[in-house]
Amino acid sequence: MWSTRARSAGVVLLGEEGEVLNRHPLQARGGGVFETKVEGVGVGTRYKFEVDGQAFPDPYARFLPEGVHGPAVVWENRFEFRHASPKLRADELVIYEMHVGTFTEEGTYRAAAEKLPFLKDLGVNCLELLPVSSFPGTRGWGYDGVAHFAPYKEYGSPEQLQAFIDRAHELGFVVLLDMVYNHFGPDGNYLGAYSPEYFTDRHKTPWGDGLDYSNPFMRHLVLDSAEHWLREYRFDGFRLDATQDIQDDSEKHVLRELAEHVHALGGGHFLFCEDYRNSPHLVTEFGTDGIWADDFHHQVRVTLTGEQDSYYSAFTPGAAGLARLIERGWLYEGQQWPLENEHLEGGRRGQSAGALRAENFVYFIQNHDQIGNRALGDRLPETAGLEGYLTASALLLFLPMTPLLFQGQEWAASTPFQFFSDHHGELGQLVSQGRLSEFGHFAAFQGPEMQKKIPDPQAESTFVTSKLNWNEIGEGEHARTLELYRALLALRREDPVLRHASRGDLQAGAVGNVLWVRRWHDGQERVLLANFGQEEATWPQVPDAGMANLSPMLSTQELAPGRLAPRSTVILGGARG
């Protein structure tokens, strides 16, 4: 253990009932490092470290069967993987974001594995798990994790997680893990009890003092954690949460070192960033594989719904904005951001994305944040209507950028995904109160009666309500949506033009409420026409598109020739010219 506080250190071995079996002192080796060798300690032995006689959980624990405040167990990787990871390129990925606890009724790795053939038939090829690093309580999103080597006990054992990944590899999926390296949760974080130097007040985050990545112990904790998940569990890469809050004043930024480390381990590993700054340097300088491009989601939503609350006020509804975004990659390239933000130098957001490839942008019309951070956790079909939702879905899967789907999106799931947690005592009360105050300035939630409609994140019912209802996939509009998603994903996978992920062979424009997007490759052309308006429209004149040579390949509604119904889409295909 490393502790700058300890005058004396030890390890205490515990029985299954918590009784002390033995104590062993650790010898000081200098620089805050203490160590000893204990003979006869087998796999499954429970233990804690002691700092000046006070026992704490091991921040490097491999498993915490009693939760983040309990003892760690000695763990050895004995799982026999049978299937190699598929070799997919970044431009082939179709990402499916999954929260293990709500993906199925059971909320376990085993239950999720049983649904994998359904996802293979759907046509996605990349699974992204919301964080599974151990976090407090019996339910949560996982973004308040505190033990970045120990999988969360409520989802199953380490071996069951390994079996899930092995089954995914067998079916042709790569598997990404959402990692939170920008902060530690407030409940169960014992790093400061060992060494306050893990953190620094030189950097501030929304959660308090920043992680001090100039400290080699903090830096190696993250690098070792990443290697652990890739080697021991055979994950294929990571999505990093809120990288704008991973602040580092070292000569080499920790994100660059992490990207180098992940890619050097082999296996075709991926590293994606969630970062609202529209900063291409995350790819061009740091070497990550892509960035979540929030602008696409925001522009689609305001165009479909007209919403202008919070950050949506920075986006102007309309097909013209979508066309510009598609050609530029994102909308904000250094313009003044109208909202207050401490991470934006001079209040300007973004830089030109001209150096980025199509696959470097992760586009989505839904994700866990953009649903769950809404007051009611309502999904896009509820606010945009089904036809508007299908129009946005067709656009997402037509574009060459990397698409991300959120669980249940493929059948327009009726279940919400709400913000839920399980904190105890005063912290739990603060979470509930904070959720209410968060929406105090939203026009739709003014007054005590409207505030009562906001689900309490601490209530178990909020968690239960967020579980997918798999019984609805064969019913009515859900079945229709699922059929369309399967057709769109098959077209994206099999069509030679749509398989060719290039921004150089892409053009977009708008005529009134109608968006047109052209893609071409090897003498073939595909054109998407999407009517985002509430009135019927005629097909627009698309520059350089020989419309007479193009015939319908797919449509979201029954369409008269040359006409676009409100909130409808048609994809045309044929030879160029």
Side-chain angles (χ1 to χ4, degrees):
M1 58 172 272
W2 175 63
S3 176
T4 59
R5 278 188 166 180
R7 294 181 299 275
S8 65
V11 60
V12 56
L13 307 184
L14 303 167
E16 292 190 6
E17 301 300 322
E19 71 276 17
V20 174
L21 301 180
N22 211 335
R23 280 188 169 89
H24 300 272
L26 276 69
Q27 306 303 316
R29 301 302 186 196
V33 175
F34 296 81
E35 68 178 23
T36 191
K37 183 175 182 179
V38 182
E39 302 287 353
V41 176
V43 170
T45 300
R46 284 166 159 78
Y47 71 94
K48 283 187 174 183
F49 283 123
E50 289 187 323
V51 176
D52 295 334
Q54 187 173 357
F56 297 106
D58 179 5
Y60 277 76
R62 268 37 179 183
F63 191 48
L64 294 163
E66 299 175 30
V68 298
H69 301 291
V73 296
V74 176
W75 180 76
E76 182 181 13
N77 185 1
R78 296 175 174 177
F79 187 83
E80 294 184 10
F81 287 93
R82 296 184 299 157
H83 305 285
S85 172
K87 304 302 179 185
L88 295 178
R89 302 187 310 270
D91 63 356
E92 297 176 301
L93 299 182
V94 178
I95 304 173
Y96 188 93
E97 191 184 29
M98 174 192 305
H99 176 265
V100 176
T102 56
F103 183 61
T104 63
E105 181 65 29
E106 299 86 347
T108 63
Y109 302 123
R110 279 181 172 172
E114 294 175 1
K115 300 295 186 184
L116 293 182
F118 169 86
L119 296 180
K120 180 176 177 62
D121 183 59
L122 172 65
V124 300
N125 57 17
C126 176
L127 308 176
E128 181 181 304
L129 303 189
L130 266 65
V132 303
S133 293
S134 287
F135 57 91
T138 60
R139 56 189 178 271
W141 282 14
Y143 292 93
D144 50 359
V146 295
H148 286 317
F149 296 79
Y152 182 55
K153 67 183 180 66
E154 299 295 328
Y155 298 156
S157 68
E159 291 75 20
Q160 288 163 354
L161 174 55
Q162 291 171 316
F164 171 86
I165 295 172
D166 198 38
R167 175 61 170 152
H169 287 166
E170 179 185 11
L171 292 174
F173 297 101
V174 296
V175 189
L176 307 180
L177 178 59
D178 198 335
M179 289 302 302
V180 183
Y181 290 144
N182 53 50
H183 78 290
F184 283 73
D187 184 11
N189 172 22
Y190 291 98
L191 283 175
Y194 289 90
S195 300
E197 291 83 356
Y198 277 113
F199 304 93
T200 177
D201 59 8
R202 298 195 312 277
H203 305 301
K204 294 294 183 181
T205 75
W207 309 278
D209 286 350
L211 279 60
D212 189 358
Y213 282 113
S214 68
N215 184 307
F217 287 92
M218 183 72 256
R219 201 173 188 91
H220 277 289
L221 187 151
V222 164
L223 296 173
D224 292 347
S225 164
E227 183 168 344
H228 175 72
W229 295 110
L230 297 178
R231 288 195 185 278
E232 304 297 336
Y233 291 89
R234 300 199 180 179
F235 277 99
D236 299 291
F238 304 105
R239 176 264 194 191
L240 301 180
D241 180 66
T243 53
Q244 70 274 353
D245 288 306
I246 300 179
Q247 303 169 60
D248 187 12
D249 45 22
S250 306
E251 183 176 348
K252 176 184 283 189
H253 197 286
V254 68
L255 284 175
R256 179 184 298 195
E257 186 167 1
L258 184 60
E260 291 173 355
H261 193 62
V262 166
H263 292 143
L265 290 174
H269 298 132
F270 300 103
L271 192 66
F272 292 97
C273 298
E274 181 205 22
D275 199 303
Y276 59 67
R277 294 173 297 177
N278 289 4
S279 298
H281 77 273
L282 292 165
V283 173
T284 58
E285 296 179 28
F286 288 179
T288 68
D289 295 289
I291 306 166
W292 279 33
D294 287 352
D295 283 11
F296 179 77
H297 168 272
H298 300 346
Q299 185 63 32
V300 166
R301 179 172 276 281
V302 300
T303 298
L304 286 173
T305 68
E307 291 181 45
Q308 294 286 268
D309 272 327
S310 189
Y311 48 76
Y312 294 134
S313 64
F315 295 83
T316 302
L322 275 171
R324 174 177 170 78
L325 184 151
I326 290 165
E327 289 208 326
R328 305 295 298 178
W330 45 49
L331 278 178
Y332 278 86
E333 304 173 281
Q335 303 96 311
Q336 197 73 29
W337 182 246
L339 306 176
E340 193 173 320
N341 191 291
E342 63 186 46
H343 290 300
L344 303 180
E345 187 174 345
R348 297 185 178 277
R349 176 170 176 257
Q351 297 173 352
S352 169
L356 299 185
R357 300 184 302 274
E359 63 267 26
N360 297 142
F361 301 89
V362 178
Y363 275 11
F364 41 83
I365 59 173
Q366 297 190 119
N367 66 36
H368 71 277
D369 271 333
Q370 303 304 338
I371 301 172
N373 285 336
R374 295 174 65 80
L376 304 180
D378 51 319
R379 293 173 180 255
L380 186 58
E382 289 190 48
T383 49
L386 181 64
E387 302 305 337
Y389 175 69
L390 297 182
T391 295
S393 300
L395 174 62
L396 171 70
L397 296 177
F398 180 83
L399 294 173
M401 290 70 171
T402 300
L404 177 140
L405 315 182
F406 181 67
Q407 62 180 36
Q409 175 174 330
E410 67 274 23
W411 74 78
S414 65
T415 48
F417 184 73
Q418 298 172 339
F419 178 66
F420 49 84
S421 59
D422 184 26
H423 295 293
H424 298 289
E426 183 181 358
L427 179 57
Q429 296 173 14
L430 290 173
V431 169
S432 295
Q433 294 166 4
R435 185 67 172 173
L436 290 176
S437 63
E438 182 179 351
F439 297 98
H441 63 285
F442 280 60
F445 294 96
Q446 295 298 313
E449 290 305 313
M450 294 304 297
Q451 291 255 310
K452 288 179 182 177
K453 295 184 178 181
I454 300 175
D456 180 0
Q458 285 287 105
E460 185 177 8
S461 58
T462 305
F463 168 61
V464 173
T465 299
S466 299
K467 289 178 178 283
L468 288 177
N469 177 10
W470 285 85
N471 294 324
E472 66 186 8
I473 61 175
E475 302 172 354
E477 65 184 31
H478 302 297
R480 175 191 166 201
T481 302
L482 181 57
E483 182 181 0
L484 177 67
Y485 264 81
R486 284 173 172 159
L488 286 166
L489 286 165
L491 194 63
R492 181 184 182 90
R493 181 174 63 249
E494 298 166 5
D495 183 82
V497 178
L498 301 188
R499 270 204 321 264
H500 177 64
S502 169
R503 294 181 68 198
D505 302 325
L506 173 71
Q507 186 182 19
V511 178
N513 292 317
V514 177
L515 171 74
W516 57 263
V517 184
R518 291 179 61 227
R519 296 185 60 185
W520 59 91
H521 177 63
D522 197 23
Q524 291 287 313
E525 184 165 16
R526 306 291 179 258
V527 175
L528 174 139
L529 304 174
N531 182 6
F532 281 88
Q534 301 284 5
E535 305 292 335
E536 187 179 86
T538 59
W539 286 5
Q541 291 295 315
V542 180
D544 301 323
M547 299 295 283
N549 296 325
L550 299 177
S551 58
M553 299 175 67
L554 186 147
S555 61
T556 59
Q557 293 186 41
E558 293 296 326
L559 303 174
R563 307 294 295 176
L564 284 169
R567 301 294 172 90
S568 67
T569 307
V570 61
I571 296 174
L572 308 171
R576 289 194 71 184

